[in-house]
Amino acid sequence: MAQIQVGDILPSVSLKFCPYDSSLKNACGIPQNLKTDSFKGKKVVIFGVPGAFTPTCNNNHLPEYHEKYSDLVNKGVDQVVCLSTADAFVMDAWGKWANVSDKVIMAADGNGDFVKATGLVQDLTKNGMGAVRSKRFAMVVDDMKVVYIGVEFGVSVSGATAVLAKL
């Protein structure tokens, strides 16, 4: 599939997440569905990372979105979603470890349904990370329509600062 572009409608896909629990001791119970259809009528920033706890994702990408959350909200963003092809338990643990609280929804695309449907999938078997991984990206979705997308290796077009400049 071709990569999703500005002007495209976000595909209907179901992701998994663990609802935020203020007690860091509580592990995720039963992951809940997060359907992309729930973004209808909202402005949502979705950023994808190749792997939880990986160096660039952990040290640069996720922290910047957490730090700039209020700025994003002030620009009209309703939700910020971090997406990876990990499972919901890993995403929950990463969110707790990074202390993102309820600001960033840590969404799991465990089967790669979202990244495949949007053309944002990459094969990282050569790095020992598996055949279905997310590319590093950020997109702004306004009422299900993609109004910005940045895909890259680093964080110059997919980081929170780049997204803020596009809002």
Side-chain angles (χ1 to χ4, degrees), residues 11-143:
S12 178
V13 177
S14 202
L15 305 167
K16 296 286 187 182
F17 80 107
C18 296
Y20 174 70
D21 183 339
S22 61
S23 170
L24 294 178
K25 296 175 186 172
N26 290 339
C28 178
I30 299 172
Q32 305 297 306
N33 283 327
L34 175 63
K35 297 182 181 198
T36 55
D37 295 338
S38 71
F39 302 154
K40 187 163 181 58
K42 297 178 183 174
K43 186 179 281 187
V44 180
V45 172
I46 304 168
F47 68 100
V49 298
F53 294 106
T54 58
T56 301
C57 307
N58 191 60
N59 299 331
N60 302 103
H61 219 172
L62 179 59
E64 184 184 27
Y65 276 96
H66 182 249
E67 291 164 13
K68 297 193 182 291
Y69 176 80
S70 294
D71 296 334
L72 292 162
V73 169
N74 289 338
K75 293 268 192 162
V77 172
D78 297 298
Q79 290 179 309
V80 177
V81 178
C82 175
L83 177 140
S84 182
T85 50
D87 62 68
F89 303 105
V90 168
M91 292 302 288
D92 182 58
W94 186 30
K96 287 176 179 170
W97 184 86
N99 198 28
V100 298
S101 63
D102 59 349
K103 293 178 180 176
V104 178
I105 297 169
M106 303 299 287
D109 185 22
N111 296 328
D113 296 335
F114 182 90
V115 295
K116 291 174 189 172
T118 56
L120 294 167
V121 65
Q122 66 177 324
D123 182 339
L124 291 178
T125 52
K126 68 180 182 232
N127 298 336
M129 293 176 67
V132 178
R133 286 290 179 148
S134 174
K135 290 182 179 179
R136 181 177 314 286
F137 72 88
M139 70 171 70
V140 178
V141 178
D142 194 352
D143 194 22

